[in-house]
Amino acid sequence: EESSGTIGAVRRSKEEKKVLRKQIKASHTLLKHEGISTTSQPTKSLVVANGGLGNGVTREDLSAALKEMGELETLIMHPHKPYAFVTYRSDESAREAHIHLNGHKLQCGENGVTLYLSFVDSVTCEEEASVPLPEGLVLVEDFVSPEEEALLLAAVDWSSTNDDVPAQKALKHRRVKHYGFEFRYDNNNVDKDKPLPVGIPQECLPVLERCVKNKHVNAMPDQLTVNQYESGQGIPPHVDTHSAFEDTILSLSLGAQTVMEFRHPDGRLVPVVLPGRSLLVMTGESRYLWTHGITPRKFDVVPACDPQSPADVTPDPGIYSNLTLNKRGTRTSFTFRKIRHEPCRCAPSAPSASSTSPPSLPCCHADAAHLEEEYVHRVYDAIASHFSSTRHSPWPRVCHFLNSLPPGSVLADVGCGNGKYLGVNPEVVAVGCDRSSALIQICAERGFQAFVSDALSVPLRTASCDACISIAVIHHFSTQERRLAAVRELMRLLRPGGRALIYVWAFEQEYNKQKSKYLKHQNREHPGNHSPTKNTLEDSQVPQGKSSIHTSRPLEDNCSPVDEVRDVGKVTDGKLSVHTNRTAFNTQDLLVPWHLKEGKRRGEEESGDANSKPSESGPAPVFHRYYHVFQQGELERLCCQVAGVKVRSTYHDQGNWCVILEKDKSINAM
């Protein structure tokens, strides 16, 4: 018995040492990745590693465990972070928690986590001003009663879904049914002359009449799309098609609660909690300018219904003082719209397809952001399907860079387009981002990990990537400051010693007495497409007649040495010229036409057409993309302005200037 007791004591000691080692390791991890400093001296406040919303831990479960040690003052859980901060009323309670909860296994639903606690000197919880809803967005809670909800859900007969309709078979991530008119996923529009035999169900009429009476909508909708989302399902960010539907969109949420995210073109993100039985009304900017989508996940970060704190305690005013996780269930949305029979005259106007004169070069940051929104972002959303159909062959030298990465490397493709480089090396962990929600949707359909993001602000942790690529992206930024910021952001993502590959379109389309394929072959792909194969070309559908933007008079060439900064590429009259495809460049800042092939518009039901109505007669629309084409040496000079950057190599590849950069190993963060 004495021997047994000794062994037990030794075992306990080993277990305690193991917990201590892991607790110290967790403390070091928090300092390295989050900048959170811990202290060995007992205080009233602790950081709880593994006890965060980002770990699948709910506020309720963590609070219950912490309260067993004493009375809480505050519990702060930051969204998407794998840790939390707790402050006890007394030092003694905090010490008890540090002793008894270190190594404690906490069960949260299906997830089990082990908590490791460390003392911190203080906890700051920044107050955040409440984020206003997008202009034109109205949320009405409890718009229908539980009895109406049951009637509406029973009115949808999922067993009668017509699997012969290609559009319905194409939806892999949710169930969908149409009433009144079918939305066609293949052309992103509605056949207004072919109403469905089944109109909007009678059960919906009292709800719609209430919408009209309450002035949420001016006229009765005549089209209904019912989407059913299981837990973990979502829909990519999109704008509902302008040309197909009138201004107001009504979306009724039935069943489980979810979070819909609205994103402005300038990067602002507004998460909106949609409770069951609530009505969402979209008009104006929220309808036409902001994208909306539902991120596929099984839990949402939402305000806690019950703060679970003593009644006499005033909760911290910060936004993080009362958040928890909500497990998603099955949600069914009823989206009501009215078919548009007249041409769309919505604002903002069509991106460059209806312009009569070219824009000017930007003179400030706001002008640059506006130019890029009109002549880059909206254009790529409009042409996404056609653009993607011409982007299927990765370029060999990009593939060589990707295949040279060690197995297990983390790769970020910033400006990934349709994701054609994300699957080149299956042994790396590849993630992509692009400003175009329509292109990211194509990535998602192909099974790639990708998200919507601006290249100037990528939501990935500093020094988290072994490699980055930026293929045909930086030439779309319209000022040197923004191009420099794009390079700096790539370097921020890289770990010390990590490498980045950058491709930009070259001013010199003829190099070493060799013309690029862009100049040589009318029926070959554009060098910005990164494929030398015979794809469907942007330039092969040039309509007869003039472009919708008048071409400025070309500037004369200047044959000064290539290693000097030349004046040839400068815009002299302040206006951007429209480039004539398959010709040498006359200016560095220009608009390049894209002739949209019919039937190649966006192909997702609730996605917008990027403010360009389909061509019902005449030639296909012409879109214009802004480019800054780089002179020899310009890309290297740009990159060398970023601290800690080494240019490892530079080369010319089929009309593109390319560099491989390395982040200095002595640079820990940027």
Side-chain angles (χ1 to χ4, degrees), residues 242-475:
H242 299 200
S243 56
F245 305 111
E246 294 285 352
D247 179 43
T248 305
I249 306 286
L250 303 172
S251 182
L252 191 64
S253 294
L254 304 178
Q257 173 179 285
T258 195
V259 172
M260 181 173 281
E261 293 171 335
F262 284 78
R263 187 181 294 273
H264 191 275
D266 64 11
R268 279 179 288 158
L269 181 68
V270 179
V272 179
V273 178
L274 302 181
R277 300 187 288 109
S278 66
L279 176 72
L280 192 68
V281 184
M282 284 185 277
T283 61
E285 279 197 8
S286 69
R287 157 80 169 95
Y288 295 114
L289 187 59
W290 295 66
T291 62
H292 60 279
I294 299 171
T295 302
R297 56 187 175 223
K298 295 194 174 182
F299 289 88
D300 287 313
V301 177
V302 298
C305 296
D306 178 9
Q308 297 214 358
S309 58
D312 60 334
V313 175
T314 302
D316 191 286
I319 192 171
Y320 303 128
S321 62
N322 193 26
L323 294 176
T324 189
L325 293 178
N326 177 67
K327 183 174 173 59
R328 285 189 189 169
T330 299
R331 170 181 174 265
T332 304
S333 69
F334 282 55
T335 301
F336 299 99
R337 296 171 282 209
K338 185 166 181 59
I339 298 296
R340 183 189 295 278
H341 293 285
E342 297 297 324
C344 176
R345 295 186 177 87
C346 59
S349 60
S352 71
S354 62
S355 302
T356 56
S357 63
S360 301
L361 264 178
C363 58
C364 63
H365 175 81
D367 283 352
H370 179 71
L371 174 70
E372 292 159 22
E373 173 62 24
E374 288 285 330
Y375 290 91
V376 181
H377 306 145
R378 293 187 189 176
V379 173
Y380 276 107
D381 265 350
I383 69 174
S385 178
H386 183 203
F387 177 83
S388 179
S389 73
T390 68
R391 269 58 176 181
H392 51 72
S393 299
W395 271 29
R397 295 191 72 166
V398 180
C399 292
H400 179 267
F401 176 85
L402 297 174
N403 288 323
S404 70
L405 301 175
S409 296
V410 176
L411 166 72
D413 184 348
V414 179
C416 63
N418 67 359
K420 73 176 182 180
Y421 289 114
L422 294 176
V424 166
N425 184 348
E427 295 188 333
V428 305
V429 180
V431 62
C433 65
D434 199 281
R435 184 63 184 264
S436 168
S437 58
L439 288 170
I440 290 300
Q441 183 174 315
I442 292 171
C443 291
E445 289 167 355
R446 293 178 171 181
F448 294 128
Q449 299 295 320
F451 53 88
V452 176
S453 169
D454 195 299
L456 299 184
S457 180
V458 181
L460 294 176
R461 184 180 294 162
T462 296
S464 60
C465 300
D466 299 294
C468 295
I469 61 174
S470 171
I471 310 300
V473 176
I474 293 176
H475 55 215

Side-chain angles (χ1 to χ4, degrees), residues 178-181 195-202 204-205 222-224:
H178 303 292
Y179 298 87
F181 293 84
L196 293 172
V198 179
I200 293 178
Q202 292 291 317
C204 300
L205 297 183
D222 54 10
Q223 194 273 338
L224 165 64

Side-chain angles (χ1 to χ4, degrees), residues 502-567:
I502 299 174
Y503 268 58
V504 293
W505 209 356
F507 182 86
E508 299 82 3
Q509 288 296 299
E510 185 170 342
Y511 181 70
N512 283 345
K513 299 182 180 180
Q514 291 289 320
K515 289 184 177 180
S516 69
K517 286 187 172 68
Y518 176 68
L519 293 183
K520 288 195 296 186
H521 301 292
Q522 285 292 331
N523 293 319
R524 297 260 179 168
E525 190 173 1
H526 183 303
N529 298 347
H530 305 295
S531 170
T533 59
K534 292 182 180 179
N535 295 334
T536 302
L537 296 181
E538 58 181 296
D539 304 308
S540 62
Q541 301 94 29
V542 180
Q544 297 300 315
K546 294 182 179 179
S547 166
S548 57
I549 296 184
H550 301 303
T551 304
S552 301
R553 182 169 58 86
L555 302 178
E556 292 187 7
D557 201 351
N558 181 337
C559 299
S560 55
V562 292
D563 58 345
E564 296 177 9
V565 178
R566 295 175 287 170
D567 294 330

